[in-house]
Amino acid sequence: MKYKKILFLNLTLILLLILSSCSLPGLETNVKSDGIIVASGNMTERQVLSEIVVQMIEYYMPEQKPGLINNLGSSMLIFQSIEREDANIGGGMYTGTSLTGELGMDVTTDPKEAFNMVINGYSEKFNMVWFPSYGFENTYAFMTSRKFAEENNIEKVSDLEKLKDTLRVGVDTTWIDRDGDGYDSFQELYGFEFEHITPMEIGLVYDAINSEKMHVALGYSTDGRINAYDLVLLKDDLHLFPPYDCSAVITKNLLRVYPELETIILKLEGEIDSETMQKLNRLSDEMKIEPNIVARDFLKEHNYFEDKNPIPLSEREEYIDIIKDVLPLQGGN
């Protein structure tokens, strides 16, 4: 009996320690003590971007020790970690995902409209600032081998109509029945269907093109295998897919405490295009280099963008109302 009681107490102590460690994602810092905590995801892209953000902060604010919460499985989980104050920065958030997800708004295919909707929605509903894009979007994209594209003079999705009866097309399994931008919407918008279309796991479509088992595939526009296999992305000329431009998100409370974060994050604006993101993803996914090393090498290569002097948000028309309640504590900048 005494043994069971001791065992029970030990198990209870272990459980409490586990729960305590879960509530301290930054270990040495936490949000309530003015700590800086970056929320990341479970896909390589978000992990690399979040490491870039963390290391930029460490470089320009050496007195700070930013924390990092990794392996959150979705945009909603990243958002919720910030909303409940486990974190205060989202390292990589996507306009189309957040627009229909946490904001619950109707989808739009206009990138500028989507951007304005998320920055206003995040400000009004969640008291957060959605920053300008890193310079790329990660969306669904039809793709083919460079050889096939050149032989058949294919540059955009509409060009596939002339080959629709002979093409072997591999697509993400979930896309077939997807609402809004799935196969039904594709047929309605582009006006044709494929005679030979095969649903498959998203991770297999790139190899299917590379091995010539498929002529065309539907994948993600920043996957590292696009660069590795020299695949060609076809232009979505009729705008089936909504924009998924990627940005960092920061709480207004954090910007009030550390206004210098605005300039640090803005230095990354437009510096990571789709091809660059593909290469960074490939380094981690294909070459098995840890995301923190990929981020470090990228930032060192660009000297942490020291020479870049970005335009403050206060001087941008779309942000004037967004940050007016942050400005007073920024010294009236």
Side-chain angles (χ1 to χ4, degrees):
M1 188 72 176
K2 184 178 179 181
Y3 172 78
K4 290 183 178 179
K5 186 175 182 180
I6 292 173
L7 180 60
F8 174 77
L9 289 173
N10 286 338
L11 289 173
T12 302
L13 179 60
I14 292 171
L15 180 60
L16 287 172
L17 287 172
I18 291 172
L19 291 174
S20 297
S21 66
C22 290
S23 65
L24 295 172
L27 297 182
E28 297 181 14
T29 59
N30 61 74
V31 170
K32 291 180 173 60
S33 65
D34 293 337
I36 301 172
I37 310 292
V38 179
S40 183
N42 61 356
M43 67 179 188
T44 297
E45 183 163 292
R46 274 186 161 140
Q47 292 183 359
V48 171
L49 291 171
S50 295
E51 285 286 355
I52 287 174
V53 170
V54 166
Q55 293 180 37
M56 283 286 285
I57 295 170
E58 290 175 336
Y59 183 81
Y60 287 100
M61 301 172 66
E63 72 284 1
Q64 295 298 319
K65 295 182 179 180
L68 178 64
I69 306 175
N70 247 328
N71 296 314
L72 297 174
S74 67
S75 291
M76 183 61 73
L77 287 176
I78 292 173
F79 162 74
Q80 289 173 345
S81 73
I82 301 173
E83 188 178 42
R84 65 174 177 252
E85 297 187 344
D86 290 328
N88 41 29
I89 298 178
M93 302 293 279
Y94 303 87
T95 51
T97 302
S98 290
L99 192 64
T100 59
E102 52 268 25
L103 286 171
M105 297 181 176
D106 292 334
V107 70
T108 175
T109 58
D110 185 319
K112 186 174 181 179
E113 183 181 16
F115 177 70
N116 287 332
M117 289 170 72
V118 293
I119 65 170
N120 282 285
Y122 256 66
S123 175
E124 294 170 5
K125 290 189 175 184
F126 310 131
N127 212 29
M128 303 177 195
V129 177
W130 187 289
F131 272 69
S133 172
Y134 291 117
F136 75 93
E137 66 170 330
N138 187 358
T139 184
Y140 273 129
F142 283 99
M143 58 194 71
T144 185
S145 68
R146 188 170 300 279
K147 176 184 177 183
F148 189 82
E150 291 175 351
E151 288 178 349
N152 293 278
N153 194 28
I154 297 173
E155 296 180 352
K156 56 186 185 296
V157 176
S158 292
D159 293 336
L160 298 177
E161 183 174 9
K162 60 189 177 185
L163 302 171
K164 61 184 176 64
D165 295 329
T166 57
L167 284 177
R168 296 191 302 274
V169 182
V171 301
D172 179 15
T173 302
T174 63
W175 181 73
I176 291 291
D177 299 316
R178 183 181 172 100
D179 291 331
D181 60 354
Y183 191 35
D184 287 342
S185 297
F186 169 85
Q187 294 174 73
E188 181 178 347
L189 182 63
Y190 277 95
F192 66 93
E193 60 182 299
F194 298 113
E195 182 69 25
H196 309 287
I197 185 168
T198 305
M200 57 178 61
E201 291 299 318
I202 188 68
L204 301 177
V205 299
Y206 313 95
D207 292 324
I209 298 181
N210 193 48
S211 62
E212 298 185 353
K213 293 179 180 178
M214 296 290 164
H215 298 117
V216 176
L218 182 69
Y220 292 135
S221 61
T222 57
D223 193 285
R225 284 162 290 193
I226 295 172
N227 179 264
Y229 298 158
D230 193 28
L231 304 182
V232 175
L233 298 183
L234 304 182
K235 182 179 179 181
D236 180 19
D237 50 312
L238 297 186
H239 307 292
L240 170 66
F241 301 114
Y244 288 91
D245 293 292
C246 187
S247 301
V249 171
I250 304 182
T251 65
K252 291 183 180 180
N253 286 337
L254 185 63
L255 286 174
R256 292 189 184 102
V257 178
Y258 302 114
E260 59 268 43
L261 284 172
E262 176 188 334
T263 300
I264 293 171
I265 301 304
L266 283 176
K267 283 178 177 287
L268 297 170
E269 179 185 1
E271 295 295 345
I272 308 174
D273 59 18
S274 293
E275 185 176 356
T276 300
M277 196 68 247
Q278 290 169 14
K279 291 177 180 177
L280 297 179
N281 284 335
R282 183 190 176 195
L283 286 171
S284 188
D285 284 332
E286 300 290 315
M287 303 181 72
K288 307 304 179 185
I289 301 174
E290 290 295 324
N292 65 313
I293 304 300
V294 173
R296 183 199 65 188
D297 292 346
F298 170 75
L299 290 175
K300 282 186 175 181
E301 179 184 353
H302 295 279
N303 199 29
Y304 294 84
F305 303 102
E306 281 191 356
D307 296 332
K308 187 171 181 179
N309 297 306
I311 300 172
L313 296 180
S314 58
E315 296 180 16
R316 306 181 189 214
E317 183 179 355
E318 65 269 37
Y319 278 98
I320 292 175
D321 291 334
I322 301 300
I323 62 170
K324 63 184 178 182
D325 54 340
V326 181
L327 288 175
L329 292 180
Q330 293 184 331
N333 290 342

